[in-house]
Amino acid sequence: MTRRTPRLSRLRRAVPEGRAARPAETRGGRPRRRGTQPKVVALGGGMGLSASLAALRRITGDLTAVVTVADDGGSSGRLRDELGVLPPGDLRKALAALCGDDDWGQTWARVIQHRFQSKGDLHEHAVGNLLIVALWEQLGDHVQALDLVGRLLGAHGRVLPMSAVPLELQALVKGHDPERPDDTDTVRGQATVALTPGEVQSVHLVPNDPPAVPEAVAAVLDADWVVLGPGSWFSSVIPHLLVPELLDALVETKARRVLSLNLAPQPGETEGFSPQRHLEVLGRHAPKLALDVVLADEAAVPDRDLLTDAAKRFGAAVELAPVARTDGSPRHDPELLAAAYDRIFRMHGRIGPWR
């Protein structure tokens, strides 16, 4: 294990007392049971992170989501451009995924996901986006505002942005222009990168050395397990590895690390990618990152040996499990994914009480 960098030590000291890694609370303020469940941090964005959170909240009450903040499309992009705020959309989706299955949780999940339909400026704005931004402006504190929204929703976990500044995602794409298939161009913006034609070679963030949110770093360092993925590989998963302080924490944490692979390549940014190629591009962006487990759906892995070889370069074992919905769509089933995570935590972690 490498020595903890001075940068991480400074970040930990920057976290206000009591805000580093507090457990989620149920509606009404009764704390969740501690001592028999793992402290889990899930990193990602969009629907991939939502799928992971919907599964993880079923097996632990000590759950923190660290969410990418590079979205520049739709309602989030409009609020970002007009008000200069962090894009709230992926944060909203994470909060909705952490809502419980009772009437309270499901009602609030629908409310914050609701989009206005009109011929005016409110068209396609999500209620949750407006609520989050309003609290940011009222409180002047990203973390405090998101914690307050989580309490209102009765969220089964905590949601944090990975950085406190809006980020722009840029990608080097080969063949972005079909008339110049051998040329490489720079494509700007998460929404554009996610759907780009051509082959994504690499991605980077602007600014290229963004500050991490101290509470996010503290959560990673204090976790028992860190889960990365699933999600849009270049626009939701890899960006966490491009925030230097967050990458330092991922490298130095004593937590065990799980990489959860997608069920299918994403049209545009990972079209034609094999499961092992997802690992290869991850390694190019973060060569010092080690993993403990790579989780994949057994039906999505045509060659287990090739995936096993790719995982060994990270020091990881491969776990195959049925985690897809049975309707044939490339979406994770929360119950099946929860069962897979629970088995991994028990097989590859400590048996018995966690703390």
Side-chain angles (χ1 to χ4, degrees), residues 176-191:
H176 176 67
D177 183 346
E179 295 185 358
R180 297 183 290 112
D182 296 325
D183 290 352
T184 299
D185 297 297
T186 298
V187 176
R188 294 174 172 83
Q190 183 182 29

Side-chain angles (χ1 to χ4, degrees), residues 19 85-86 136 140-147 159 161 163-165 213:
R19 277 183 33 172
V85 296
L86 294 180
W136 283 342
D141 186 311
H142 294 107
V143 173
Q144 185 182 356
L146 289 166
D147 284 343
V159 173
S163 179
V165 297
V213 167

Side-chain angles (χ1 to χ4, degrees), residues 79 83 85 127-140 145:
L79 290 168
L83 301 174
V85 296
V127 171
N129 288 356
L130 301 177
L131 174 62
I132 291 169
V133 172
L135 282 167
W136 283 342
E137 292 192 344
Q138 286 285 315
L139 301 177

